[in-house]
């Protein structure tokens, strides 16, 4: 067993899985470290599409970190991490989200406001003059496509497109746009998922001024297809509110083709959530035209509203 585990957040997405794989290979190659990429959940359909395409095995899934040292990727908040994070030593972080992390010891902490963690890692490889294997390059390219919605998300930065183009070339992707659209669409087939899988598939918890806000997001090509299952979704959310102690659940349904979202809100802070976006709730729901990014367009207004 490796001495250090490398993993991303719970309910892993493509960037989390790709970043764990890429970081582990990078650390083992550049620094002769002894690390293993693992995951805190099974790959979603989009990620599995990329893994299958590039013939990469999914990392093993863990519930507890069974080593003394770990490296975090694509997150730095304890509430999104492994259950026993307090019992292990974090020796490094590679992330592109807001910082909510404390450490009593020096460590590698690399946080850049790029479109994906994979973008950060591309430049780490480049700066260290470490060759990226084709399969890992393909996963990293997939991560950038996923997190930036093919460079259309407002989270996209000037650093992302050059990284994506270079990684696509290394991976042998002649047309990364065609591949990316196929991958994103693979992640929007929701017909076989239960309501619980829909609300939890990409959900993260945030502490906002003492309130635990759970924010889930699902991508689709038809928002009303998702809301046709409204009763199931409400029942699943209400069950989680009761059993897991969340104060409020914000479920964002995003159309990746027209870059619009609809939001379903349940829990104690419905009115505050709606007010954060200057919206009125209708049947616990409101529209957010032009909103696709939880990190940049959903979390900041909510944080500001709860801290006001």
């Amino acid at each position: 067993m490796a001495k250090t585990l490398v993993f991303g957040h719970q309910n892993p997405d493509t960037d989390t899985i790709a970043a764990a794989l890429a970081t582990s290979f990078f650390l083992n190659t550049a620094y002769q470290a002894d690390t293993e990429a693992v995951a805190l959940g099974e790959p979603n359909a989009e990620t599995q599409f990329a893994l299958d395409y590039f013939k990469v095995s999914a990392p093993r899934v863990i519930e507890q970190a069974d080593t003394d040292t770990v490296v975090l990727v694509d997150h730095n908040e304890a509430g999104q991490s492994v259950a026993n994070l307090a019992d292990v030593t974090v020796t490094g972080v590679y992330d592109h989200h807001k910082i909510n992390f404390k450490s009593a010891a020096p460590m590698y902490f690399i946080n850049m406001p790029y479109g994906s963690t994979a973008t950060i890692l591309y430049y780490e490889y480049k700066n260290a003059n470490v060759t990226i294997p084709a399969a890992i390059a393909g996963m990293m390219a997939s991560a950038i496509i996923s997190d930036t919605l093919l460079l259309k998300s407002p989270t996209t930065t000037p650093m992302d497109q050059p990284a994506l183009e270079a990684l696509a070339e290394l991976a042998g992707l002649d047309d990364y746009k065609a591949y990316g659209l196929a991958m994103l669409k693979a992640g929007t087939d929701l017909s076989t998922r239960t309501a619980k899988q829909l609300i939890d598939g990409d959900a993260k918890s945030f502490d906002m001024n003492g309130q635990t806000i759970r924010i889930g997001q699902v991508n689709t090509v038809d928002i009303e297809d998702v809301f046709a299952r409204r009763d199931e979704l409400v029942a699943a959310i209400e069950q989680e509110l009761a059993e897991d102690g969340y104060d409020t659940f914000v479920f964002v349904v995003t159309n990746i083709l027209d870059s619009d979202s609809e939001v379903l809100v349940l829990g104690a802070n419905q009115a505050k959530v709606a007010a954060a976006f200057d919206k009125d709730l209708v049947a616990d729901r409101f529209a957010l035209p032009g909103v696709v990014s939880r990190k940049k367009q959903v979390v900041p207004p909510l944080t500001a509203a709860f801290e006001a």
Side-chain angles (χ1 to χ4, degrees):
M1 181 182 297
K3 293 180 180 177
T4 301
L5 298 181
V6 182
F7 52 81
H9 54 72
Q10 299 169 20
N11 302 318
D13 56 16
T14 304
D15 193 33
T16 272
I17 297 293
L21 292 166
T23 298
S24 179
F25 183 87
F26 175 74
L27 294 175
N28 293 349
T29 303
Y31 300 106
Q32 290 74 57
D34 182 12
T35 74
E36 178 194 0
V38 295
L40 305 188
E42 298 291 343
N44 60 32
E46 176 193 280
T47 308
Q48 193 61 55
F49 178 94
L51 290 167
D52 291 343
Y53 189 95
F54 293 106
K55 297 180 173 59
V56 176
S57 298
R60 69 182 177 96
V61 176
I62 65 168
E63 294 184 1
Q64 301 268 338
D66 50 5
T67 56
D68 294 329
T69 56
V70 303
V71 172
L72 308 183
V73 298
D74 200 29
H75 76 297
N76 68 84
E77 297 195 44
Q80 299 172 9
S81 199
V82 74
N84 65 327
L85 186 66
D87 301 325
V88 299
T89 299
V90 179
T91 60
V93 175
Y94 295 86
D95 193 18
H96 67 135
H97 296 93
K98 69 183 180 72
I99 299 172
N100 186 10
F101 186 87
K102 292 182 179 180
S103 175
M107 60 183 294
Y108 285 100
F109 195 106
I110 300 176
N111 186 291
M112 302 286 185
Y114 298 163
S116 78
T117 311
T119 301
I120 297 170
L121 291 166
Y122 166 74
Y123 293 106
E124 288 293 299
Y125 272 91
K126 187 176 180 180
N127 291 339
N129 198 29
V130 174
T131 300
I132 307 175
I136 290 181
M139 292 303 301
M140 292 170 71
S142 301
I144 297 174
I145 290 168
S146 176
D147 267 22
T148 67
L149 293 178
L150 261 175
L151 305 176
K152 294 179 181 178
S153 169
T155 59
T156 307
T157 72
M159 306 300 285
D160 296 305
Q161 185 167 345
L164 174 54
E165 291 175 350
L167 289 165
E169 183 176 354
L170 288 170
L173 280 176
D174 295 329
D175 187 346
Y176 72 78
K177 293 181 181 179
Y179 163 80
L181 186 59
M183 184 193 76
L184 291 171
K185 285 186 175 180
T188 67
D189 182 6
L190 311 178
S191 60
T192 61
R193 300 190 209 176
T194 66
K196 180 172 176 57
Q197 289 172 331
L198 288 179
I199 65 170
D200 278 345
D202 188 36
K204 294 182 179 179
S205 299
F206 299 86
D207 184 340
M208 297 184 180
N209 200 20
Q211 295 290 295
T212 302
I213 311 300
R214 184 76 164 169
I215 307 177
Q217 184 173 24
V218 67
N219 291 335
T220 183
V221 293
D222 189 336
I223 286 176
E224 292 308 321
D225 274 356
V226 178
F227 279 101
R229 302 172 62 183
R230 184 185 184 283
D231 291 346
E232 294 176 61
L233 295 170
V234 168
I237 290 171
E238 289 179 339
Q239 182 175 355
E240 288 205 2
L241 288 170
E243 294 180 356
D244 297 328
Y246 307 132
D247 295 295
T248 303
F249 201 114
V250 180
F251 183 52
V252 183
V253 182
T254 299
N255 187 318
I256 62 171
L257 298 182
D258 62 16
S259 299
D260 290 335
S261 294
E262 290 272 342
V263 181
L264 178 66
V265 188
L266 295 172
N269 300 287
Q270 280 184 305
K272 182 168 284 190
V273 170
F277 301 95
D278 196 23
K279 298 289 183 179
D280 294 320
L281 283 168
V282 178
D284 306 315
R285 176 178 166 184
F286 60 84
L288 286 180
V291 169
V292 297
S293 170
R294 172 175 51 197
K295 180 179 75 173
K296 195 164 185 177
Q297 296 174 296
V298 177
V299 172
L302 287 177
T303 301
F306 278 87
E307 291 181 352

